[in-house]
Amino acid sequence: MHINPERSTRPDYDLLVRQIASVLEGERDLTANASQFSALVYDTLADLNWAGFYFTVPSKKGEGQDLLVGPFQGKPACARIPFGRGVCGTVAVERKTVVVPDVHAFPGHIACDSASNAEIVLPVIKDGKLVGVFDIDSPTLERFTEEDRIGLEAMVAAFIEATDC
Protein backbone atom coordinates (compact mmCIF):
# COMPACT_ATOMS: atom_id res chain seq x y z
CA MET A 1 0.00 0.00 0.00
CA HIS A 2 1.33 3.43 -0.92
CA ILE A 3 1.47 5.86 1.96
CA ASN A 4 2.34 9.34 0.80
CA PRO A 5 5.17 10.71 2.94
CA GLU A 6 5.80 14.42 3.15
CA ARG A 7 7.63 15.74 0.12
CA SER A 8 11.27 16.02 1.06
CA THR A 9 14.62 17.01 -0.36
CA ARG A 10 16.04 14.25 1.91
CA PRO A 11 13.55 11.41 1.48
CA ASP A 12 13.69 8.00 3.12
CA TYR A 13 14.85 6.06 0.06
CA ASP A 14 14.58 2.69 1.81
CA LEU A 15 10.89 3.41 2.36
CA LEU A 16 10.49 4.60 -1.24
CA VAL A 17 12.05 1.39 -2.59
CA ARG A 18 9.54 -0.63 -0.55
CA GLN A 19 6.71 1.60 -1.80
CA ILE A 20 7.78 1.15 -5.43
CA ALA A 21 7.70 -2.61 -4.95
CA SER A 22 4.25 -2.35 -3.36
CA VAL A 23 2.79 0.01 -5.97
CA LEU A 24 4.08 -2.11 -8.86
CA GLU A 25 3.21 -5.47 -7.32
CA GLY A 26 1.10 -7.59 -9.65
CA GLU A 27 1.65 -5.43 -12.75
CA ARG A 28 4.57 -5.94 -15.14
CA ASP A 29 3.58 -3.63 -18.03
CA LEU A 30 6.28 -1.09 -18.93
CA THR A 31 3.95 1.85 -19.59
CA ALA A 32 1.81 1.28 -16.51
CA ASN A 33 4.80 0.82 -14.20
CA ALA A 34 6.70 3.78 -15.68
CA SER A 35 3.62 5.94 -15.12
CA GLN A 36 3.30 4.83 -11.51
CA PHE A 37 7.03 5.24 -10.88
CA SER A 38 7.11 8.77 -12.32
CA ALA A 39 4.09 9.79 -10.26
CA LEU A 40 5.55 8.41 -7.03
CA VAL A 41 8.89 10.17 -7.55
CA TYR A 42 7.25 13.47 -8.50
CA ASP A 43 4.85 13.24 -5.56
CA THR A 44 7.45 12.41 -2.88
CA LEU A 45 10.63 14.30 -3.79
CA ALA A 46 10.46 18.01 -3.11
CA ASP A 47 11.61 20.76 -5.41
CA LEU A 48 11.12 19.05 -8.76
CA ASN A 49 9.66 20.40 -11.96
CA TRP A 50 9.92 17.23 -14.06
CA ALA A 51 10.31 13.49 -13.49
CA GLY A 52 9.95 10.90 -16.19
CA PHE A 53 11.21 8.38 -18.67
CA TYR A 54 12.74 8.50 -22.10
CA PHE A 55 12.74 5.13 -23.87
CA THR A 56 15.23 3.85 -26.45
CA VAL A 57 13.84 3.80 -30.01
CA PRO A 58 15.36 3.65 -33.50
CA SER A 59 16.50 7.03 -34.80
CA LYS A 60 14.18 8.75 -37.26
CA LYS A 61 17.26 9.32 -39.41
CA GLY A 62 17.61 5.57 -39.92
CA GLU A 63 20.91 5.10 -38.09
CA GLY A 64 21.50 4.68 -34.40
CA GLN A 65 19.06 5.28 -31.59
CA ASP A 66 17.14 8.10 -29.95
CA LEU A 67 15.35 8.57 -26.66
CA LEU A 68 11.59 9.11 -26.99
CA VAL A 69 9.62 10.69 -24.15
CA GLY A 70 7.59 8.23 -22.10
CA PRO A 71 5.44 8.54 -19.00
CA PHE A 72 6.31 11.62 -16.94
CA GLN A 73 5.04 14.23 -14.49
CA GLY A 74 5.60 17.93 -15.08
CA LYS A 75 5.45 20.37 -17.97
CA PRO A 76 5.60 19.23 -21.60
CA ALA A 77 9.08 18.07 -22.54
CA CYS A 78 11.34 17.51 -25.51
CA ALA A 79 9.86 14.57 -27.41
CA ARG A 80 12.99 13.04 -28.93
CA ILE A 81 16.64 13.24 -27.89
CA PRO A 82 19.47 11.74 -29.95
CA PHE A 83 21.95 9.48 -28.15
CA GLY A 84 24.95 11.57 -27.10
CA ARG A 85 23.02 14.86 -26.91
CA GLY A 86 22.31 16.65 -23.63
CA VAL A 87 22.34 14.97 -20.23
CA CYS A 88 19.86 12.24 -21.20
CA GLY A 89 21.69 11.40 -24.41
CA THR A 90 25.01 11.32 -22.55
CA VAL A 91 23.60 8.87 -19.99
CA ALA A 92 22.25 6.71 -22.83
CA VAL A 93 25.75 6.43 -24.28
CA GLU A 94 27.72 6.15 -21.03
CA ARG A 95 25.13 3.97 -19.22
CA LYS A 96 25.86 5.53 -15.85
CA THR A 97 24.03 8.03 -13.66
CA VAL A 98 24.91 11.69 -14.18
CA VAL A 99 24.24 14.34 -11.53
CA VAL A 100 24.35 17.90 -12.88
CA PRO A 101 24.46 20.64 -10.22
CA ASP A 102 24.03 23.41 -12.82
CA VAL A 103 22.56 22.41 -16.18
CA HIS A 104 23.67 25.69 -17.74
CA ALA A 105 27.29 24.59 -17.27
CA PHE A 106 26.71 21.18 -18.91
CA PRO A 107 28.09 21.15 -22.48
CA GLY A 108 25.27 20.61 -24.97
CA HIS A 109 22.48 20.81 -22.39
CA ILE A 110 19.03 20.70 -23.98
CA ALA A 111 16.72 23.25 -22.33
CA CYS A 112 13.27 21.67 -22.52
CA ASP A 113 12.15 23.88 -19.61
CA SER A 114 14.00 27.14 -18.96
CA ALA A 115 13.08 26.86 -15.25
CA SER A 116 15.32 23.79 -14.81
CA ASN A 117 18.65 24.41 -13.12
CA ALA A 118 19.75 20.99 -11.82
CA GLU A 119 19.25 17.48 -13.15
CA ILE A 120 19.88 13.83 -12.39
CA VAL A 121 19.53 11.17 -15.08
CA LEU A 122 19.71 7.43 -14.44
CA PRO A 123 20.09 4.66 -17.02
CA VAL A 124 17.38 2.00 -17.13
CA ILE A 125 19.14 -1.23 -18.08
CA LYS A 126 17.58 -4.70 -18.09
CA ASP A 127 19.52 -7.82 -19.01
CA GLY A 128 22.32 -5.68 -20.45
CA LYS A 129 19.95 -3.76 -22.74
CA LEU A 130 19.40 0.00 -22.38
CA VAL A 131 15.63 0.38 -22.07
CA GLY A 132 15.95 4.15 -21.60
CA VAL A 133 16.69 6.73 -18.94
CA PHE A 134 14.86 8.20 -15.97
CA ASP A 135 15.26 11.98 -15.84
CA ILE A 136 14.54 14.38 -12.97
CA ASP A 137 14.80 18.18 -13.18
CA SER A 138 14.75 20.80 -10.45
CA PRO A 139 14.52 24.59 -10.51
CA THR A 140 17.09 24.70 -7.68
CA LEU A 141 20.82 24.67 -8.39
CA GLU A 142 22.71 21.78 -6.76
CA ARG A 143 19.42 20.07 -5.83
CA PHE A 144 20.68 16.47 -6.20
CA THR A 145 23.21 14.83 -3.90
CA GLU A 146 25.16 11.59 -3.74
CA GLU A 147 22.46 10.33 -1.36
CA ASP A 148 19.87 11.04 -4.07
CA ARG A 149 21.97 9.19 -6.65
CA ILE A 150 22.26 6.08 -4.49
CA GLY A 151 18.61 6.16 -3.43
CA LEU A 152 17.25 6.76 -6.92
CA GLU A 153 19.46 4.02 -8.36
CA ALA A 154 17.90 1.63 -5.80
CA MET A 155 14.43 2.80 -6.82
CA VAL A 156 15.19 2.28 -10.51
CA ALA A 157 16.52 -1.20 -9.70
CA ALA A 158 13.20 -2.00 -7.96
CA PHE A 159 11.34 -0.67 -11.02
CA ILE A 160 13.41 -2.86 -13.36
CA GLU A 161 12.87 -5.93 -11.16
CA ALA A 162 9.08 -5.40 -11.21
CA THR A 163 8.75 -4.60 -14.92
CA ASP A 164 8.86 -6.46 -18.22
CA CYS A 165 11.05 -4.31 -20.44
Side-chain angles (χ1 to χ4, degrees), residues 31-45:
T31 302
N33 286 358
S35 297
Q36 296 282 55
F37 187 90
S38 298
L40 187 129
V41 168
Y42 194 77
D43 194 44
T44 56
L45 272 66

Side-chain angles (χ1 to χ4, degrees), residues 31-165:
T31 302
N33 286 358
S35 297
Q36 296 282 55
F37 187 90
S38 298
L40 187 129
V41 168
Y42 194 77
D43 194 44
T44 56
L45 272 66
D47 205 18
L48 305 183
N49 57 341
W50 204 87
F53 288 88
Y54 281 92
F55 293 127
T56 304
V57 297
S59 173
K60 285 176 100 175
K61 296 178 181 174
E63 291 183 20
Q65 295 177 304
D66 288 341
L67 295 168
L68 185 64
V69 70
F72 70 91
Q73 299 286 309
K75 294 180 181 180
C78 300
R80 188 176 289 263
I81 299 172
F83 271 38
R85 228 175 129 227
V87 183
C88 290
T90 298
V91 169
V93 170
E94 295 180 2
R95 295 180 170 219
K96 66 178 185 174
T97 301
V98 173
V99 177
V100 183
D102 179 356
V103 297
H104 308 290
F106 189 90
H109 173 255
I110 301 169
C112 296
D113 179 358
S114 62
S116 293
N117 287 309
E119 186 170 10
I120 183 169
V121 181
L122 304 98
V124 179
I125 300 169
K126 182 142 188 177
D127 300 328
K129 176 186 168 200
L130 182 74
V131 175
V133 301
F134 186 69
D135 179 21
I136 308 174
D137 295 347
S138 172
T140 302
L141 291 167
E142 300 180 14
R143 162 60 182 87
F144 303 106
T145 65
E146 181 68 4
E147 182 181 347
D148 291 313
R149 181 191 64 76
I150 292 166
L152 288 163
E153 285 176 347
M155 290 177 70
V156 167
F159 166 81
I160 291 166
E161 180 68 26
T163 305
D164 293 333
C165 303

